[in-house]
Amino acid sequence: MKYVVDSYLETSDIEWIPQLARVVVGLIFASDLPSIPATDVSKSAGDTTGTDPEYPGIQDFPPALRRKPMKNDNYTIRTMNRNEVDIAIEWAAKEGWNPGLHDADCYLSADQNGFLMGFLGDEPIASISVIRYNDAFSFLGFYIVKPEYRGKGYGIQIWNAGLKYLEGVNIGLDGVVTQQENYTKSGFKLAYRNIRYEGVGGGEQPKNAEIVELSTLPFETIDHYDQPFFPADRSQFTQAWITQPESHALGIMQNGQLAGYGVIRKCRNGYKIGPLYADNPELAESLFLALKSRTRSSEPVFLDTPDSNPAAVALAEKNNMSASFETARMYTGDFPETPIWRLFGVTSFEIG
């Protein structure tokens, strides 16, 4: 999948303001300025615009005010390869999102076509993930533009390319605070907030809880338990997630049945617990304590909790965790019906 798009217009040549004003006045008063061939946008892409009667008088503009590829290069957007996914994850780390060390392969298992990168010439400068789980539901993340290229129109172009891939599908995302207003303008609606809590690892596993390694259970049992928590089938992703390197995946049993499970994985900074699912708060806390006992007391541990489940927030605060970050879970369509009261830790802000 590849797109070729135009770069933004440069408008710094103030000496041409009189010519520009003449054209604008002509348009306002419907003068008889002749139609002329518009500027060739991108000959290297084979894209010509021909005569454009909506822009009469454009020949009076200086080159800096005409549509043209920036620095003689096209801005191109295409699907990432495996190494480029690592670039996007590195950008996420620099933004302070603290990705897991082995997230890339897990994410790709969800949708190999769902990671787009924007290039200026050969330089990668923007990213977005648009995971299309099926024809009804998708999730958007990794919306990043390198700092030195922000405010120049590259972000909105890769955003639009991503939305085109997800056309006709309900889209979910976890929006950072600074972008939430923009997401609302794009048709996203707030469902609830996710709060990232930070604490420390270590401690002991509860002795009376029926904690089991997930690897001892049939995957079908785990997948069946997982399905209600997400509005689309993502079995392949789940299998990759619970078996990734440098992680621990535990379940908790009750009356011979799986009653919850969680994963803790190594990240750039410490560990994250997610998902954390359980049938009640007591089981969730037993799982939480068992998971963090797999780490050292000197290491930070993070838990992303939905504020629409007060028991999840209470779990974090009871265990002396402090809120450090928040996002807004938003959707373009109807809010999925999931058992939020059994959700104590979000799997991933990037792909849901």
Side-chain angles (χ1 to χ4, degrees):
M1 180 164 49
K2 183 174 181 178
Y3 308 84
V4 180
V5 291
D6 305 328
S7 59
Y8 75 113
L9 306 182
E10 298 179 43
T11 57
S12 59
D13 285 4
I14 193 169
E15 62 184 292
W16 288 90
I17 287 178
Q19 289 91 329
L20 177 59
R22 183 182 68 81
V23 174
V24 172
V25 170
L27 287 172
I28 293 172
F29 291 95
S31 66
D32 293 326
L33 290 171
S35 297
I36 51 90
T39 304
D40 184 359
V41 177
S42 177
K43 289 183 179 179
S44 63
D47 179 18
T48 57
T49 58
T51 301
D52 191 343
E54 294 186 5
Y55 299 98
I58 199 169
Q59 76 276 14
D60 292 324
F61 290 9
L65 289 178
R66 299 175 189 169
R67 299 167 66 199
K68 65 175 185 177
M70 178 182 287
K71 299 179 181 178
N72 299 317
D73 284 315
N74 289 324
Y75 178 50
T76 59
I77 300 170
R78 63 167 173 78
T79 306
M80 297 183 204
N81 61 36
R82 175 61 183 79
N83 291 336
E84 288 158 357
V85 175
D86 286 337
I87 293 174
I89 289 178
E90 181 62 30
W91 291 349
K94 291 179 179 179
E95 294 294 321
W97 299 355
N98 194 24
L101 298 186
H102 305 282
D103 286 356
D105 289 326
C106 297
Y107 292 162
L108 281 170
S109 71
D111 181 1
Q112 292 194 357
N113 294 318
F115 292 84
L116 305 182
M117 183 159 279
F119 296 82
L120 192 59
D122 294 328
E123 181 185 0
I125 66 167
S127 68
I128 195 169
S129 63
V130 279
I131 308 302
R132 190 176 181 121
Y133 287 102
N134 56 27
D135 290 337
F137 187 74
S138 61
F139 207 87
L140 185 153
F142 281 109
Y143 180 37
I144 305 171
V145 178
K146 290 177 70 174
E148 62 266 37
Y149 293 103
R150 293 174 186 174
K152 299 181 179 182
Y154 298 119
I156 189 62
Q157 292 177 79
I158 199 168
W159 171 268
N160 289 337
L163 292 190
K164 183 175 179 62
Y165 178 62
L166 301 180
E167 193 170 6
V169 179
N170 187 10
I171 308 170
L173 60 76
D174 277 305
V176 297
V177 173
T178 56
Q179 288 291 335
Q180 287 170 21
E181 183 178 350
N182 290 331
Y183 296 146
T184 300
K185 292 176 182 177
S186 293
F188 286 84
K189 302 179 292 291
L190 176 66
Y192 54 86
R193 299 189 185 280
N194 287 315
I195 305 169
R196 173 162 296 171
Y197 281 90
E198 179 179 352
V200 295
E204 296 184 0
Q205 176 175 308
K207 293 182 171 57
N208 59 343
E210 293 186 65
I211 303 293
V212 298
E213 297 284 342
L214 274 191
S215 59
T216 65
L217 301 177
F219 176 71
E220 293 74 14
T221 300
I222 303 163
D223 193 41
H224 178 74
Y225 188 86
D226 182 89
Q227 290 288 346
F229 293 96
F230 201 75
D233 180 14
R234 57 174 185 176
S235 302
Q236 192 169 354
F237 165 77
T238 300
Q239 190 157 32
W241 193 256
I242 66 176
T243 58
Q244 62 181 291
E246 297 187 84
S247 71
H248 299 278
L250 303 177
I252 190 165
M253 309 297 291
Q254 190 173 52
N255 300 321
Q257 302 293 319
L258 184 64
Y261 86 86
V263 176
I264 187 167
R265 74 192 196 278
K266 187 79 173 74
C267 296
R268 299 295 183 93
N269 177 29
Y271 288 81
K272 281 185 195 173
I273 295 175
L276 180 60
Y277 303 144
D279 290 353
N280 60 54
E282 293 73 28
L283 295 173
E285 184 169 26
S286 292
L287 262 177
F288 170 81
L289 294 173
L291 288 165
K292 82 182 193 75
S293 74
R294 301 305 202 262
T295 67
R296 295 188 295 270
S297 59
S298 60
E299 295 175 307
V301 169
F302 301 89
L303 178 69
D304 299 331
T305 63
D307 72 352
S308 52
N309 181 4
V313 174
L315 169 64
E317 294 179 348
K318 177 183 176 182
N319 286 276
N320 301 312
M321 303 184 85
S322 302
S324 61
F325 182 73
E326 76 169 50
T327 68
R329 175 60 61 91
M330 309 177 84
Y331 299 97
T332 56
D334 294 337
F335 299 162
E337 295 183 7
T338 57
I340 198 76
W341 62 93
R342 294 165 56 204
L343 170 59
F344 294 84
V346 178
T347 302
S348 163
F349 284 162
E350 287 73 34
I351 69 167

